[in-house]
Every structure is written in C-alpha cells, then in structure tokens.
Amino acid sequence: MTHAPFIQFFDDGAAPRHELLGGKCASLVALTAAGMPVPPGFAITTAAYDAFIHEAGIEADIHALLAGLDPNDIAEVDRVSAQLRSEITSRPVPAELHAITIDAYNALQARFASPVPVAVRSSATAEDLPDASFAGQQDTYLWLTGVKDVTEHIRACWASLYTSRAIIYRLKNNIPDEGLSMAVAVQKMVNARVAGVAITMDPHNGDRSKIVMEAAYGLGELVVSGQVTPDNITVDKVMLMVVKHTIGDKHAELVPDLESRSLVELEVSEERRNRLCISDTEITAIATIAKKAEKHFKCPQDIEWALDRDLPDGENLLLLQSRPETVFSSTATGSIPVTSTGFGIESITKSLMSQAGKA
C-alpha cells in the first residue's frame, strides 16, 4: 500500500472526486481549492475503507446479511446492524494502512507549533447529493487528541455506515449498498465561539433572494440534538441587510475544557441569551461567504460555519461544510426529509414539518 489513493489532504491540489472522498470530504476539498477558509485536514478515502473491508473478510457478510432484509423488521435490522458494526470495530486494520493513517495524522500535527485536537467526521458516498437528505446519518467525533483516539474513531465512523437508522433509511429510499463506501475526514478542531448554518434561500418558501441563517454559542451539537434553540436571521441576498430575526433561547453552550481535554456544557447568562450571538459585521461576512459557496457550486447551498475564538476578528470565520440545499426541494415535492442535513437544519425541518401538520 502507498499513501495514494488512501490519503488525500484537503489542500494537496488533487481533484475532489466524490467516489473517493464521499460528500463531506469532496466538499471540503472543493472549498479549499476555491480559496475559502476551511480548517486544514485530510481524508482517509473510500479506497482505504474498501481495502479494510475486503482484507478483513467483512465484504461477504455485508452482502449476505443485507440481502432481503425487511426495513420494518426492527429487531432483525438491529441484529444485523450490531453484527456488522462489531466486525468493523473489532477486526484488525492492515498494518500498512494503519501506518499510512498515522503518517498523515503526524503530518497534519506538524503544521502547528503544538499538538491540536481534531474532529473525525464521516463522509459517505451516498450523502450530500442534490436529491437526498442522507447527510447526518453517520457519526462525527469532536475534540480528539492523540493518534490512538483518532484511529479508534475512524473505525467508529466506518461502522456508523451500518447503524440501524442508516440501514433502514437506505432500504426505504432504495439506495443500493452495492458500491456504498465511506471516507473519513480528520480535521483541525475549531474552538467555536459561535457556530451555525446559512442556507442561500428561504427553506420555507424557496425564495432565492434571501439567506436564512441560524446561530448559537459554542459548538453546534446542542442545536443538532434539539437541546438549544438558536437565533434565526433572514438576510437580503443582494443588499446583505437583515430583513428579520428571532432571538433563540440559547441557554447552554458546548465548549472545550482544557484540563479534562473534553467538551463540557455550560450555562449561558441571561444577558447573552437575550441578544443575537453574532454581530451585524459577522452576519454580513457569513452571508458573503454563503453567496460565494452558492456561486462556486452553482446551486443553493446549506453551509456550516463557525467563528473560531482563537483567531482574530476578520480572520475567524471558517467553513466546515457546504452541501446542496435539500429541505425546500424535498418539501416542494411533498417529501419531508427524514433526517437533519446538518447543524441547524433539524430545527428548520421541524418547523417545516409543523407547518405541514406532520410534527
């Protein structure tokens, strides 16, 4: 085994091939190539996953266990899921592939004066397609330190391709497992003061003259899980002026604790709750970069962004993802997305479902 095609750094100039990188990593490579501010990192490609599955002898079990599986037989789906995930997390990774991954992790760390925590993020080939809301089905792990922690969670991302939820989703939406694969992003962690999404259209009515963004303090996971209600802001796409806004509760934030090397949930003061968590200048910057992503990808985008508290103002806005918008395009045809497509979209989707009388 050689480093290529098993490892691809976001900034190494190679093309963003979806079949090799999955949706998330392909987007990160494309954004980096377009000169947009993306935290540095690399992808363990689908070729690496495929090599592991083949050499570990799991490939035949996947085909046999999924053949004829009834998505309505939850007990059997759970059994199949548990067996496949156990095989993926327990069988040995080929020594050369393991060594290549360690080399890439060390090369990423060498870019910084001292060791930095990383996020390990799933990037399936079936996600982030214009006609699918498959993103968010697999796992993401935050604030990991040390190569052992990272390699263990890479395997956990691989295994999340076969959670019960992901299996059922694919079966019910006729997404074949043939050719299905998983890349994994290993990326410098953002120490987010505020994080959110911006959609380059109004997902409630399809108005492409607007940008709708959501924002909350700290990392975005509390919003994704529904524990925090974010601020909601609508911006005129041409004038970049706020048209309307709603201040969310934002009662808690998820932040790193340096002593424990973990994430902790802290209470947000009443004063901070009762005001927008981003300034007018930051709103304009977020809207501007969202428009840039839409222009680059030539269709409405759902971007994930964060303001890094470790970087100076004006340099602290980072892009974590950009994917085709699917909320309005799904509801416009009468199909409500089954899952969240990313940070913040879950709350928008819940709003749409409520309006449709299906909440």
Side-chain angles (χ1 to χ4, degrees), residues 10-93:
F10 301 158
D11 59 357
D12 68 4
R17 294 167 51 197
H18 189 280
E19 72 276 11
L20 189 66
L21 299 172
K24 187 175 284 87
C25 289
S27 169
L28 293 170
V29 168
L31 290 168
T32 301
M36 286 183 256
V38 175
F42 62 91
I44 299 104
T45 70
T46 58
Y49 169 84
D50 295 343
F52 163 69
I53 292 295
H54 177 74
E55 295 191 33
I58 303 172
E59 195 170 15
D61 288 346
I62 291 173
H63 294 307
L65 289 168
L66 293 177
L69 187 62
D70 180 358
N72 297 310
D73 187 345
I74 303 302
E76 181 62 10
V77 171
D78 287 346
R79 186 192 70 79
V80 168
S81 170
Q83 180 173 335
L84 290 177
R85 287 184 289 118
S86 176
E87 291 186 27
I88 291 171
T89 55
S90 63
R91 296 193 184 180
V93 174

Side-chain angles (χ1 to χ4, degrees), residues 281-358:
T281 300
E282 290 163 345
I283 290 170
T284 300
I286 294 162
T288 300
I289 204 167
K291 285 178 63 175
K292 187 175 180 181
E294 179 182 65
K295 182 178 180 180
H296 179 77
F297 290 111
K298 298 181 174 61
C299 68
Q301 293 293 297
D302 156 20
I303 72 164
E304 297 177 30
W305 55 267
L307 294 169
D308 194 321
R309 70 173 77 242
D310 296 332
L311 297 175
D313 290 345
E315 301 175 21
N316 57 347
L317 176 59
L318 301 174
L319 276 185
L320 306 177
Q321 175 68 313
S322 186
R323 60 174 68 89
E325 186 281 335
T326 59
V327 174
F328 178 77
S329 58
S330 296
T331 56
T333 57
S335 172
I336 299 292
V338 175
T339 64
S340 163
T341 57
F343 172 87
I345 301 303
E346 183 164 342
S347 55
I348 293 174
T349 304
K350 286 178 180 176
S351 173
L352 288 168
M353 293 176 72
S354 177
Q355 291 180 31
K358 297 184 179 182

